[in-house]
Amino acid sequence: MEVVSKRTDRRSFLNYLLGTGIGAAVVSFFYPVIKFLIPPRIAEAPTSSVVAAKVGEVAPNTGKVFRFGSKPGILINGPDGSLRAYSATCTHLDCIVQYRPDMQNIWCACHNGRYDLNGLNIAGPPPRPLEVYDVRTRSGEIVVSKKGG
Amino acid sequence: MLRSLSQRTWNWLDERLNLDELIAHAKEKTVPIHKHTLWYYLGGMTAFLFFVQVVTGILLLLYYRPSSDNAFESVQFIMTEVHFGWLVRSVHSWGANLMIAAAFAHMFSVYFLRAYRKPRELTWVTGILFLFIALTFGFSGYLLPWNELSFFATKVGTEIAGVIPLVGHFLKRFLRGGEDVTGATLTRFFGWHVAMLPAAAAMLLMAHLFMVQRLGMSSPEESTDGADNPSHGKTMLFFPNFLLRDLVGWLIALGILGALAAIYPWELGVKADPFASAPANIKPEWYFVFMFQTLKILPAKILFMDGEVLGILAFGLAGLVGLLVPFLDTQSGPNRTSLIFTVLGVVALVYMVAMTVIAYI
Ligand code: FES
């Protein structure tokens, strides 16, 4: 009796060792693979202001998509000739919006979303307003910057 | 002379591999004949079109270059410079669409004939997984020409993954290879499209075909205890009768593919520009249109949730139910169908067709 239980003890102990050994091996094989699949984060200098266009480049009642760091922004010369800028990334599902002179609104072609000239989502599926940027003109250039930046 | 040579080769192989036994087995295989027999051809049709995709895909690989600077130009090169490049690429694009259409038709016919009942639950599951893989093939392949439409389709598609609660952000980064849709996304999609998905599809297809071979064709009147009842109803031999009919179908499909490719060569469109507005009348491939149209119709807020989150979760749930149908439908038996699942199937089919039609008119 004694001997048997000792033997089973030893056996289960060995099984345990073997099991954890194999388990650890499997984990050590897969861990690097899983990690490899996840893209590394690329540090980006945060952009706080860019030159979006030259003065006079964007006619009244039209818009222009410009590069704001790695993201698109949109500069709009309103029907009244006032300049405004917003993030051009639709808050619904990430499409790039455009200015529609016929509606005098900002329009997203992807699912027919609409924003007014304050960037507010007024129709269609977008759940949130567009981020609004500051616009200044400086020696013939239109400079767009993050609010408060 | 030739005959004796082939006979000798056969004998040589047979002596070692015992092939006559396999042949004898194949000769026994039969296909039931009844008013729904026509539906049996859809599975083989899907497999054939998959084979066409593999062949044309390998050909395209010889010229395609997977980077945001080169992809569009390389497809342009295939379409304009490479001999019959337009044909190969158009057959690949049209073939993808026909294959998915065939797979959907196959799925719905199997569903309404209740062929997923015991003992074929796993055949159904592998089939549905294959359909999911086929859709992923379509989604990833769509991006590869790197044109405007595919760029925005990918942005929206991966953002959809991004709104799933909890895991969304991680999933989106994983799919895109970063925060945004860029050249990194293209390389990733390329890797899935030409390596990972084909491997997965091949394994599923083999499992699926193995089970079809093992269990034989389901017949609507059959009992579910797994026992064959060959005395029941008329049958035809699989080999050669059914296979020859299959071949005729495949030949016709190839003819249709060639004609489509020649008359309507697949367009290339405009090269993607990550800093340009989404073009008007943007639409995904037709097999995603029902989901696309739903997202368009859903209001921004439903109760306390963003509309699209609810929509996406609902589609995810529907997909899961679809996958598990054989385990959920315990009512269906021989000559007996469960009303709930008939209704569910009809509702799903009508919904998909209606949403698609609405989007196109
Ligand atoms: S992404 Fe703009 S409305 Fe859907």
Side-chain angles (χ1 to χ4, degrees):
Chain A
M1 210 51 214
E2 266 295 271
V3 181
V4 170
S5 78
K6 227 180 214 156
R7 207 174 264 162
T8 46
D9 271 359
R10 188 177 300 165
R11 163 151 305 170
S12 64
F13 179 65
L14 282 175
N15 276 341
Y16 171 78
L17 276 189
L18 194 63
T20 45
I22 292 175
V26 167
V27 169
S28 68
F29 297 152
F30 281 104
Y31 182 75
V33 175
I34 305 277
K35 277 301 218 189
F36 185 89
L37 290 174
I38 302 166
R41 281 185 194 278
I42 298 163
E44 244 181 78
T47 323
S48 58
S49 91
V50 293
V51 175
K54 299 231 157 38
V55 170
E57 186 186 328
V58 184
N61 204 26
T62 60
K64 178 197 174 190
V65 175
F66 60 93
R67 196 186 259 267
F68 197 99
S70 63
K71 306 272 180 194
I74 185 166
L75 177 72
I76 289 168
N77 194 344
D80 55 351
S82 63
L83 288 170
R84 303 159 204 259
Y86 321 83
S87 153
T89 304
C90 182
T91 57
H92 181 224
L93 290 171
D94 209 30
C95 272
I96 300 177
V97 297
Q98 58 187 284
Y99 180 68
R100 279 280 294 259
D102 53 335
M103 303 177 186
Q104 304 196 344
N105 275 160
I106 302 164
W107 181 63
C108 179
C110 286
H111 310 94
N112 204 13
R114 261 195 280 163
Y115 305 85
D116 67 12
L117 288 181
N118 294 316
L120 269 183
N121 47 322
I122 49 171
R128 278 174 297 281
L130 293 174
E131 189 185 345
V132 182
Y133 298 145
D134 280 333
V135 185
R136 277 172 298 133
T137 50
R138 193 180 58 198
S139 53
E141 288 177 329
I142 301 171
V143 178
V144 170
S145 51
K146 289 229 154 123
K147 279 248 180 270
Chain B
M1 173 65 193
L2 205 65
R3 200 178 168 83
S4 77
L5 185 69
S6 62
Q7 187 59 45
R8 287 219 311 274
T9 316
W10 177 263
N11 288 344
W12 191 90
L13 288 170
D14 185 37
E15 214 181 310
R16 285 155 182 85
L17 303 170
N18 201 5
L19 294 178
D20 276 337
E21 196 180 294
L22 276 182
I23 294 286
H25 183 70
K27 276 191 180 139
E28 274 166 31
K29 190 174 160 55
T30 58
V31 176
I33 300 177
H34 46 76
K35 62 175 188 280
H36 299 302
T37 298
L38 198 62
W39 299 112
Y40 290 142
Y41 294 98
L42 285 170
M45 183 60 80
T46 312
F48 171 71
L49 289 168
F50 179 68
F51 174 73
V52 171
Q53 291 308 99
V54 172
V55 173
T56 50
I58 290 175
L59 289 176
L60 289 172
L61 265 178
L62 301 182
Y63 292 102
Y64 178 74
R65 282 171 293 162
S67 78
S68 55
D69 294 333
N70 293 321
F72 183 85
E73 286 77 4
S74 71
V75 178
Q76 207 163 36
F77 181 74
I78 292 172
M79 294 292 281
T80 55
E81 302 287 331
V82 179
H83 298 295
F84 290 105
W86 60 272
L87 181 67
V88 174
R89 188 211 168 211
S90 296
V91 167
H92 195 70
S93 304
W94 276 111
N97 285 279
L98 293 193
M99 179 181 107
I100 289 182
F104 265 116
H106 180 45
M107 179 195 79
F108 275 112
S109 64
V110 166
Y111 182 87
F112 287 118
L113 290 172
R114 297 297 195 278
Y116 54 74
R117 289 169 308 178
K118 190 184 168 197
R120 296 189 176 78
E121 298 97 325
L122 291 179
T123 321
W124 169 268
V125 170
T126 50
I128 296 292
L129 290 177
F130 185 87
L131 180 64
F132 290 160
I133 296 240
L135 293 175
T136 320
F137 260 124
F139 183 65
S140 57
Y142 196 53
L143 179 68
L144 299 186
W146 198 247
N147 60 27
E148 221 177 18
L149 283 181
S150 67
F151 176 77
F152 283 104
T154 306
K155 250 169 127 52
V156 171
T158 47
E159 185 70 25
I160 283 177
V163 301
I164 299 170
L166 303 178
V167 292
H169 185 74
F170 170 80
L171 207 61
K172 182 172 92 175
R173 268 178 52 79
F174 170 71
L175 290 172
R176 289 183 172 179
E179 287 298 327
D180 294 298
V181 175
T182 59
T185 320
L186 182 63
T187 334
R188 240 161 218 248
F189 275 38
F190 175 72
W192 291 326
H193 193 82
V194 307
M196 294 216 267
L197 293 173
M203 282 193 288
L204 281 171
L205 197 60
M206 278 192 306
H208 195 73
L209 290 179
F210 168 75
M211 285 186 266
V212 172
Q213 285 308 311
R214 199 72 189 145
L215 299 170
M217 302 291 200
S218 153
S219 141
E221 292 87 29
E222 178 190 74
S223 66
T224 53
D225 55 14
D228 278 335
N229 28 1
S231 58
H232 213 78
K234 280 205 297 179
T235 60
M236 73 167 117
L237 283 175
F238 179 83
F239 193 78
N241 301 26
F242 189 79
L243 196 63
L244 284 178
R245 286 172 171 78
D246 252 347
L247 276 174
V248 172
W250 297 348
L251 217 56
I252 292 172
L254 213 50
I256 292 175
L257 260 181
L260 281 172
I263 302 171
Y264 308 103
W266 206 261
E267 279 180 29
L268 180 55
V270 183
K271 186 174 176 174
D273 175 357
F275 294 94
S277 305
N281 63 49
I282 186 166
K283 243 188 223 93
E285 295 270 66
W286 60 269
Y287 39 86
F288 291 125
V289 160
F290 71 98
M291 293 194 261
F292 163 82
Q293 187 61 26
T294 309
L295 287 177
K296 217 163 163 172
I297 288 175
L298 282 179
K301 291 273 176 206
I302 300 172
L303 302 176
F304 56 94
M305 259 178 152
D306 282 1
E308 75 268 10
V309 179
L310 208 69
I312 290 156
L313 290 180
F315 280 124
L317 188 69
L320 192 65
V321 169
L323 183 67
L324 299 178
V325 152
F327 306 102
L328 301 174
D329 175 14
T330 46
Q331 294 286 306
S332 290
N335 280 327
R336 199 155 47 85
T337 55
S338 103
L339 185 64
I340 303 184
F341 280 86
T342 308
V343 172
L344 271 182
V346 171
V347 167
L349 187 58
V350 168
Y351 182 83
M352 286 163 76
V353 172
M355 278 297 173
T356 310
V357 170
I358 289 172
Y360 280 104
I361 52 175

